[in-house]
Amino acid sequence: RKLRMSHVQNISSPKSEFYYVKGKRKVRTNKNEQGNRSPLDISKQVQLSKHEVTNMRRSQVPLIRETLSQLWENDMLPAIWFIFSRRGCDAAVEYIEDCRLLHDCEASEVELELRRFRMQYPDAVRENAVKGLLRGVAAHHAGCLPLWKSFIEELFQRGLVKVVFATETLAAGINMPARTAVISSLSKRIDAGRQLLTPNNLFQMAGRAGRRGIDTVGHSVLVQTTNEGPEECCDVIFAGLEPLVSQFTASYGMVLNLLAGSKVTHKQKESGDVKAKRSGRTLEEARKLVEQSFGNYVGSNVMVAAKEELERIQKDIQHLSSEITDEFIDRKCRKELSEEDYAEISLLQNKLKEEKKIRNELKKRMELERMAAWKTQLEEFESGHLPFMCLQYKDKDSVHHTIPAVFIGSLSSFDD
């Protein structure tokens, strides 16, 4: 908000001239009219198109030299400068290789270390990066040989390299502590265009700032570009971190490797031959090894969260069940209703109970009459020979069922 208001104040200032592109012509705004307006009115009336915003941001993008001078003046070096392309890292080193960031003693020490490295590994030296290295600037990315990258890391840890231009792969796994992490852009180019950084990627790179035991504060600098400004920066920062997802998957090969164990070499005393054997793991040892994986840790956390959620739901069910009992409803009615209404409801409930009681008695009487009607039919089968049969019926899902039965006789009605 402060950046946007400062821009609006620059527009409204009578001392400054503001040009904006409209079509192909440049139109100059009237200074006298702007001087009489407040910044809030102008912020409402100035509606810039996407092309105009891009032009405005392009004019406000700081150069690498300007940003580097700010870091130098504010004592924010050494720094890791993240650029999302190898070519961009090498170009940045060549662009500022004339800027001297080392003192004479430090430059002499770097030159001495470079001579030693050249004598040991002459083929690993990047000749196009030597000039920048002697000034305290280097590049670190997958295009460099591992030996050269290790050499840069060692010089950076010793404070002999002040700025390292690196890709985002350096944000994880390498011990290169810096006082400041500079992120050159909030988006990177992919096959489908430009993709905004995720909060996890941004905080992973920003987390490289601050050296343990040396710095009390680490600085993270986000540089404005033609594609991103303060609004996009806030969107990424306040979006919240995404949960970590384990890529652990069980496969047949992994199971065989777990059970096979590690290779152990044995040397026979008589012949002197060396034979390799595999000391297999037991199922219990393999299970313990799998339980140490991050995937199992995440899964156990999910199970704990699911159990807690289940317990909470069960408590809610018990609480709701206690609220629908007759005693609870009676207490609530007595509390919220007047005495006349409560007495009327109680009278109706008593009548309902009596009606239910009568209905149950009629059901019992009907069952007794039905059983008495069967008695006369059963007397015909005193010989003990009963005709068995199988009944078939179809339920509501159109599924056939069979029931074993005994044929007793035909009844016209249960009153017979």
Side-chain angles (χ1 to χ4, degrees), residues 189-249:
R189 188 177 296 278
I190 58 175
D191 295 337
R194 299 194 69 86
Q195 182 183 24
L196 205 63
L197 294 178
T198 63
N200 289 26
N201 292 338
L202 177 63
F203 283 104
Q204 180 70 34
M205 290 185 286
R208 305 299 295 181
R211 297 169 293 181
R212 181 181 297 176
I214 301 176
D215 301 322
T216 57
V217 176
H219 304 280
S220 180
V221 179
L222 277 67
V223 182
Q224 177 170 311
T225 65
T226 57
N227 301 302
E228 304 94 21
E231 293 85 358
E232 289 80 6
C233 175
C234 290
D235 290 341
V236 177
I237 289 178
F238 298 117
L241 294 177
E242 300 172 353
L244 295 178
V245 179
S246 173
Q247 302 299 322
F248 178 82
T249 54

Side-chain angles (χ1 to χ4, degrees), residues 161-399:
V161 174
K162 301 300 181 181
V163 179
V164 169
F165 293 95
T167 55
E168 70 270 21
T169 55
L170 185 117
I174 299 177
N175 183 22
M176 288 183 65
R179 182 173 296 174
T180 303
V182 182
I183 302 171
S184 61
S185 175
L186 288 176
S187 64
K188 56 183 178 180
R189 188 177 296 278
I190 58 175
D191 295 337
R194 299 194 69 86
Q195 182 183 24
L196 205 63
L197 294 178
T198 63
N200 289 26
N201 292 338
L202 177 63
F203 283 104
Q204 180 70 34
M205 290 185 286
R208 305 299 295 181
R211 297 169 293 181
R212 181 181 297 176
I214 301 176
D215 301 322
T216 57
V217 176
H219 304 280
S220 180
V221 179
L222 277 67
V223 182
Q224 177 170 311
T225 65
T226 57
N227 301 302
E228 304 94 21
E231 293 85 358
E232 289 80 6
C233 175
C234 290
D235 290 341
V236 177
I237 289 178
F238 298 117
L241 294 177
E242 300 172 353
L244 295 178
V245 179
S246 173
Q247 302 299 322
F248 178 82
T249 54
S251 62
Y252 294 109
M254 188 202 72
V255 173
L256 292 175
N257 289 330
L258 280 173
L259 296 177
S262 57
K263 185 184 291 186
V264 180
T265 57
H266 295 280
K267 188 174 182 180
Q268 296 182 356
K269 294 182 180 179
E270 299 176 357
S271 60
D273 297 334
V274 177
K275 291 188 177 181
K277 291 185 178 181
R278 285 193 172 272
S279 59
R281 294 188 183 91
T282 62
L283 284 175
E284 188 63 28
E285 292 174 345
R287 184 180 292 108
K288 288 182 179 180
L289 192 61
V290 171
E291 287 175 355
Q292 295 175 359
S293 66
F294 178 68
N296 183 73
Y297 171 76
V298 174
S300 61
N301 287 348
V302 172
M303 291 295 296
V304 169
K307 289 181 180 179
E308 292 177 354
E309 183 69 13
L310 182 60
E311 292 177 358
R312 185 186 66 80
I313 292 173
Q314 290 175 349
K315 288 181 180 178
D316 293 342
I317 292 174
Q318 293 177 358
H319 178 68
L320 294 174
S321 300
S322 64
E323 290 184 354
I324 60 175
T325 57
D326 295 338
E327 296 178 357
F328 182 82
I329 294 174
D330 186 66
R331 288 198 306 269
K332 195 168 185 180
C333 291
R334 188 185 294 273
K335 182 179 180 181
E336 295 184 358
L337 298 176
S338 61
E339 294 182 0
E340 297 179 356
D341 295 338
Y342 180 76
E344 184 178 357
I345 291 175
S346 298
L347 181 62
L348 293 174
Q349 286 180 344
N350 292 332
K351 287 184 178 180
L352 182 62
K353 287 180 181 178
E354 292 176 0
E355 294 291 336
K356 287 182 178 180
K357 192 174 182 181
I358 294 172
R359 186 190 64 181
N360 292 334
E361 290 178 356
L362 291 174
K363 279 186 177 181
K364 289 181 181 179
R365 189 182 302 173
M366 187 176 178
E367 289 294 330
L368 290 173
E369 292 177 355
R370 186 178 295 174
M371 296 301 296
W374 287 111
K375 186 175 181 181
T376 57
Q377 298 290 332
L378 290 173
E379 291 176 354
E380 299 178 2
F381 298 98
E382 292 180 354
S383 61
H385 298 287
L386 298 178
F388 285 94
M389 61 187 298
C390 186
L391 299 180
Q392 250 190 8
Y393 78 98
K394 205 184 284 187
D395 61 7
K396 61 181 181 179
D397 297 327
S398 300
V399 178

Side-chain angles (χ1 to χ4, degrees), residues 72-174:
W72 177 268
E73 292 173 4
N74 291 279
D75 194 22
M76 296 169 65
L77 297 179
I80 299 177
W81 201 307
F82 290 103
I83 299 177
F84 302 115
S85 68
R86 305 178 191 176
R87 185 181 299 176
C89 294
D90 296 334
V93 172
E94 294 178 3
Y95 181 68
I96 63 169
E97 63 183 4
D98 295 333
C99 301
R100 181 164 183 155
L101 302 177
L102 299 177
H103 301 297
D104 294 336
C105 295
E106 293 174 336
S108 301
E109 192 171 352
V110 171
E111 189 175 359
L112 180 61
E113 294 294 333
L114 182 60
R115 288 179 181 176
R116 292 177 181 172
F117 183 81
R118 191 187 295 274
M119 291 176 61
Q120 292 181 352
Y121 314 104
D123 296 334
V125 178
R126 297 191 72 195
E127 297 297 340
N128 58 348
V130 170
K131 184 177 180 181
L133 184 63
L134 295 175
R135 301 297 179 95
V137 183
H140 188 289
H141 51 74
C144 305
L145 292 175
L147 289 173
W148 180 258
K149 288 195 290 186
S150 301
F151 178 60
I152 298 299
E153 293 168 13
E154 181 183 354
L155 294 180
F156 189 82
Q157 292 174 9
R158 292 169 56 183
L160 300 178
V161 174
K162 301 300 181 181
V163 179
V164 169
F165 293 95
T167 55
E168 70 270 21
T169 55
L170 185 117
I174 299 177

Side-chain angles (χ1 to χ4, degrees), residues 49-63:
S49 65
K50 185 177 181 181
H51 180 66
E52 292 168 352
V53 171
T54 304
N55 289 338
M56 183 184 69
R57 285 181 173 176
R58 185 178 288 113
S59 65
Q60 295 177 352
V61 171
L63 300 175

